[in-house]
Amino acid sequence: MSKRAALSLFCSLWLASACGDDDVTPPPSSVRPLACAGSAGVERAANGILRADCPSARSGVRLRPYVKLDGAWLGGASCTVTGDALACPAGDAGTVEARLDDATNTFSVRFHATRAVVVEGLALEGEARVEGATSWLSNGYQSWSQSGMLALAARLPEADVATALAQTGDGEVLRDGTAMSWSFTHVGGGGGGTTLVAGALTTARWKPWVEIARQAAGSDELVVRLGSGGAGERVSVAAGESVDGEPFYVDTGSDGEALLRAYASRLEAWRDADPTPSVAEAGWNSWYELWSDVDEGAVRANAAQARAVLGPTAPSTPPLRIVVDDGWESAWGDWTPNDKFPLGLDGLATELAVQGHTMGVWLAPFCVAEGSETARLHPDWLVVGASYNHAIEGVQRVLDVTNPAAAAHLAEVIRTLVGWGYTLLKIDFLFAGSLEGTRARDVTGMQALHEGLQIIRDAAGPDVTLVTVGAPDLAILPYADGWRVGTDIAVEPFGPSWPFLVTQARNLGARWPLCERVLCDADPPILRVLPETEVNTGGWIPALAGGGLFLSDDLRTLDLARVPWGVDAERVSLGVSGHPAVPLDLYPTMPPSTLASAFGEHLLGRRLMGTKQVPPTRWRLPDGRVVRTNWSDTATTMDGVAVPARSVRVGAAGT
């Protein structure tokens, strides 16, 4: 971080009335004002307070603390500097404070209660300046949620933001992204050459988010809000007690890639804790053609075919992984094999292990179908007031992992699956574990999700691979080997189509910094049905993600002449490398105003070619080569390289 950018950040939190803010009481006169721009260093008074005149730097932020009580945000006015904090009254309920750790660029907020209250959220809100900025990242809540770059626009009404925050269930997936970004964002583009990165560092209690908007059309001055909660959480705080929001990293500079890497490096991840680092794998998954009709015979036959198809292209990878996806269980919540698996999952795993395969299995560990035996026998294991309606499987209740008996049940399910020989667990619909509701213990949904993930990791052991799907991003990092980075690559009623490939690439481009901290599962290449250029382009998506490469067509009926279109030794090698490609065009030339849905694009595609989605077009591979992707329906030229419609060209940076 440059001194100039650092000074802008340091000064911003402590900006006093010299900047025209009559609601902030200046620090004591012993604190000497500093100039924010062009200074040779940072001066600090004896009491640790920084004060500055108005910053003239090209970028920076200025934030005040707020707390949400009884549906209203309080604070941010009549503030005083107390010790090393900016403290603002929150009516008669207490005081909300903001701090900046200038050594780590970390902002934090804390509420001190003077009477018993229920805290619904905490936030830091104010202004930022990012010269020339044109677009910002809108990141979705969980794996499948639409994510991508959007044009900077005017601030939406508070009611719209509140509505977006309330949507953390399945319906949030099709978000248009305009209200806020979950977990983190970055802002830049245009001719200013400056980037601002802002992201939560933890999800210990709250669901964190960032709101970014222009103060006025064409202005470099932005409205910024770093939020913790406001998404249905309710935290009881007694008189004299305090509660903290999630800490946020904020930084500015001219190198957006470096800033995003720096942010990601601050996030706690299983990749750091695991004594045997994660290795990306290749194999076959049953989902994307067999769907829930999968049976024992289909798994057996496809395992044999997968060896024949992938073996020549993946000679140096670990043994091929065969994953039995949804459809093996008696019911969601009853994790025992149904009659389509007469050998049982243990018998099938033993048979395929003899053939040299390793095994994986799917489950939704926090979901319990209303008609399941588990729900019928143990209603006290279910979270009160938390459920969602799955389009096929019906109403799903949420397992209460704060109930000791339910927690023990979950641990036993995991130990049983691992004991049957399944050393990869694809744990799905994890957002359900974070839904708010009444549990045996008074915790937020995010606290419950962390407890549940810890139970699963402890029961599975360190050597079992956990791939998380339908999962909030930051929450899974301390426990997971892999994370689904986008929505499904095909959907059962529709089958494969081009818009789902584009959506996956858009989400990967939006979230690539997190792929430095977890293996990003970009879903398999789909080899059937689509034309050759689309199969070829789709085959590059898992290669760009670097988090694994799995086939998922029914190989018994696939025309094997199609395999080289989407799978070859180069893409398999990149797909299992464990290292993502980096999008070089972080900020699109023409950012969209909303995030277009793959579902809507699919329906339009039946009569209208084209896409409103805007993924990155240039990606730098770990070896320095550049992958140029043309997502449009017309041929184009990139860096002097002709790229046909819906196609990929790979070369050196300038070729």
Side-chain angles (χ1 to χ4, degrees):
M1 182 180 184
S2 68
K3 289 181 179 178
R4 180 170 179 159
L7 282 167
S8 179
L9 280 169
F10 297 162
C11 297
S12 297
L13 181 59
W14 307 112
L15 223 57
S17 59
C19 290
D21 184 354
D22 296 330
D23 290 330
V24 179
T25 302
S29 58
S30 61
V31 180
R32 184 162 61 88
L34 300 173
C36 280
S39 300
V42 177
E43 297 186 41
R44 184 180 291 277
N47 63 357
I49 304 300
L50 291 172
R51 178 177 182 265
D53 294 328
C54 295
S56 59
R58 295 166 64 189
S59 61
V61 293
R62 175 189 183 192
L63 302 169
R64 303 179 190 85
Y66 292 81
V67 61
K68 188 174 186 181
L69 304 173
D70 295 325
W73 290 100
L74 305 176
S78 302
C79 305
T80 58
V81 174
T82 303
D84 64 348
L86 182 68
C88 311
D92 65 352
T95 302
V96 59
E97 296 179 350
R99 284 181 171 82
L100 168 63
D101 182 343
D102 55 326
T104 61
N105 301 332
T106 302
F107 286 86
S108 58
V109 59
R110 172 176 292 174
F111 171 70
H112 301 276
T114 54
R115 60 177 174 83
V117 294
V118 174
V119 175
E120 298 165 358
L122 294 150
L124 292 158
E125 181 177 346
E127 302 80 37
R129 176 179 173 82
V130 183
E131 188 173 58
T134 60
S135 54
W136 65 291
L137 169 68
S138 181
N139 180 45
Y141 181 67
Q142 47 109 329
S143 300
W144 307 319
S145 305
Q146 296 205 120
S147 301
M149 301 304 299
L150 292 177
L152 282 166
R155 191 176 195 180
L156 294 180
E158 180 66 22
D160 291 0
V161 178
T163 297
L165 289 174
Q167 295 176 349
T168 58
D170 211 20
E172 184 268 346
V173 169
L174 297 181
R175 62 194 294 272
D176 68 11
T178 55
M180 34 67 69
S181 179
W182 292 101
S183 302
F184 78 108
T185 191
H186 57 95
V187 184
T194 303
T195 297
L196 181 147
V197 172
L201 294 174
T202 62
T203 57
R205 172 177 274 133
W206 308 97
K207 300 177 176 75
W209 48 277
V210 184
E211 182 187 5
I212 298 281
R214 287 199 191 278
Q215 290 193 34
S219 172
D220 291 338
E221 306 299 326
L222 308 177
V223 176
V224 177
R225 182 158 50 160
L226 312 178
S228 296
E233 300 96 328
R234 294 178 60 82
V235 176
S236 298
V237 183
E241 293 183 344
S242 301
V243 63
D244 292 316
E246 306 299 332
F248 275 83
Y249 172 91
V250 181
D251 203 354
T252 65
S254 60
D255 189 338
E257 178 184 332
L259 292 172
L260 287 165
R261 287 186 187 277
Y263 165 62
S265 72
R266 296 281 306 280
L267 302 172
E268 179 188 359
W270 175 252
R271 175 174 278 189
D272 297 331
D274 184 3
T276 56
S278 304
V279 176
E281 300 183 18
W284 178 83
N285 177 286
S286 66
W287 181 244
Y288 282 108
E289 187 168 7
L290 296 173
W291 312 110
S292 57
D293 291 333
V294 62
D295 59 34
E296 184 179 288
V299 174
R300 184 183 295 112
N302 274 278
Q305 283 289 91
R307 178 183 298 279
V309 171
L310 280 178
T313 67
S316 61
T317 63
L320 294 183
R321 177 77 71 173
I322 306 301
V323 180
V324 182
D325 214 292
D326 185 14
W328 66 269
E329 70 284 349
S330 299
W332 286 27
D334 296 340
W335 304 111
T336 55
N338 57 41
D339 58 11
K340 293 185 295 177
F341 290 81
L343 287 181
L345 287 193
D346 53 344
L348 179 62
T350 299
E351 177 183 323
L352 294 183
V354 171
Q355 299 174 20
H357 297 297
T358 54
M359 297 299 294
V361 67
W362 172 97
L363 71 157
F366 303 130
C367 293
V368 182
E370 274 201 337
S372 67
E373 183 175 336
T374 299
R376 181 175 60 83
L377 295 179
H378 304 286
D380 56 316
W381 290 4
L382 307 178
V383 178
V384 176
S387 65
Y388 78 98
N389 189 16
H390 187 276
I392 297 174
E393 300 296 334
V395 175
Q396 300 296 314
R397 301 291 301 279
V398 177
L399 189 71
D400 181 5
V401 297
T402 70
N403 179 307
H409 166 74
L410 175 59
E412 183 58 27
V413 166
I414 299 301
R415 284 192 293 265
T416 298
L417 291 171
V418 173
W420 286 344
Y422 291 81
T423 54
L424 180 149
L425 302 180
K426 180 180 176 182
I427 48 177
D428 204 347
F429 290 85
L430 296 188
F431 69 86
S434 73
L435 295 176
E436 302 301 328
T438 302
R439 292 173 165 85
R441 292 204 327 276
D442 187 14
V443 301
T444 65
M446 195 58 80
Q447 287 174 305
L449 177 60
H450 280 281
E451 287 195 31
L453 290 170
Q454 190 66 64
I455 289 168
I456 292 170
R457 173 49 78 185
D458 289 346
D463 297 329
V464 170
T465 299
L466 296 183
V467 178
T468 55
V469 186
D473 46 19
L474 304 192
I476 59 88
L477 290 180
Y479 316 96
D481 300 275
W483 175 59
R484 172 70 61 74
V485 73
T487 189
D488 284 4
I489 206 72
V491 178
E492 187 171 357
F494 299 151
S497 71
W498 172 251
F500 290 96
L501 306 182
V502 183
T503 299
Q504 199 74 311
R506 186 187 67 193
N507 272 33
L508 177 61
R511 293 163 157 184
W512 73 267
L514 303 180
C515 304
E516 300 279 343
R517 309 299 290 138
V518 66
L519 294 174
C520 278
D521 165 23
D523 251 352
I526 300 297
L527 305 177
R528 67 188 188 276
V529 179
L530 301 175
E532 182 174 358
T533 56
E534 296 181 14
V535 172
N536 181 276
T537 302
W540 273 101
I541 296 173
L544 295 173
L549 194 146
F550 283 75
L551 304 180
S552 197
D553 298 280
D554 187 346
L555 302 178
R556 299 172 298 179
T557 58
L558 180 70
D559 177 0
L560 297 184
R562 287 176 157 264
V563 172
W565 297 358
V567 178
D568 53 34
E570 178 182 35
R571 281 177 285 187
V572 172
S573 177
L574 289 167
V576 300
S577 69
H579 300 289
V582 177
L584 297 179
D585 43 351
L586 286 176
Y587 302 104
T589 303
M590 298 181 66
S593 58
T594 63
L595 296 175
S597 161
F599 295 93
E601 290 282 290
H602 172 88
L603 296 174
L604 286 174
R606 295 176 181 171
R607 56 182 177 82
L608 175 68
M609 301 296 284
T611 179
K612 297 178 182 178
Q613 303 184 72
V614 186
T617 57
R618 297 169 177 84
W619 308 71
R620 188 181 67 247
L621 296 173
D623 63 8
R625 290 179 301 150
V626 174
V627 177
R628 296 171 177 84
T629 50
N630 181 3
W631 305 106
S632 76
D633 292 326
T634 57
T636 189
T637 299
M638 301 181 193
D639 308 321
V641 177
V643 187
R646 301 191 179 189
S647 296
V648 170
R649 292 293 182 266
V650 184
T655 61

